[in-house]
Amino acid sequence: MGELEQLLALVKQKETEITDNDFNLEAIENKINKVVSGFKEIQSSIQQSISSFKQRIIFIDKRVSKLEAEKKVATAARNFKEHA
C-alpha cells in the first residue's frame, strides 16, 4: 500500500469518526434540549405555585385583620353586657 492509499484510508477513517462524533453530538444536544425543556416546565410550575401561595397569604392576611376586628367588637359587646 502506497503512501497515497494510506492517506486516503486515514482521511476516510477520520471522516467516519467525524460522522460518528456529529451523531453523538446531536444525541447529546437532544438530551440537553429535553433537560432544558423539563427544567422550564418545572420552573413555570414553581412560579405558578409561588403566585398562588402569595395570593393565599394576601387572603389570609386580610381575613386575619377582619377576624381581629370582629373579635374586638365581640369583646367590647361582651364587656358592655358584663358591666351593664
Side-chain angles (χ1 to χ4, degrees):
M1 183 182 251
E3 188 178 338
L4 184 57
E5 288 84 14
Q6 288 178 343
L7 288 174
L8 287 173
L10 183 60
V11 167
K12 287 184 180 182
Q13 177 187 351
K14 294 301 176 185
E15 285 176 342
T16 301
E17 289 175 10
I18 289 170
T19 301
D20 291 345
N21 288 340
D22 286 346
F23 177 76
N24 291 335
L25 182 60
E26 186 177 331
I28 291 169
E29 286 175 344
N30 287 337
K31 288 179 182 179
I32 289 171
N33 289 336
K34 287 180 182 178
V35 168
V36 168
S37 176
F39 172 78
K40 288 181 179 179
E41 288 176 15
I42 291 170
Q43 184 181 32
S44 175
S45 175
I46 289 171
Q47 288 173 339
Q48 289 174 352
S49 293
I50 289 171
S51 177
S52 175
F53 290 140
K54 284 181 179 180
Q55 290 175 354
R56 289 178 184 176
I57 289 170
I58 290 169
F59 172 79
I60 290 169
D61 284 343
K62 288 180 181 179
R63 184 71 179 135
V64 166
S65 295
K66 288 180 183 178
L67 290 173
E68 286 174 345
E70 290 175 16
K71 179 181 174 185
K72 286 180 183 179
V73 170
T75 301
R78 186 189 74 220
N79 289 340
F80 179 76
K81 286 180 182 179
E82 287 175 358
H83 289 85

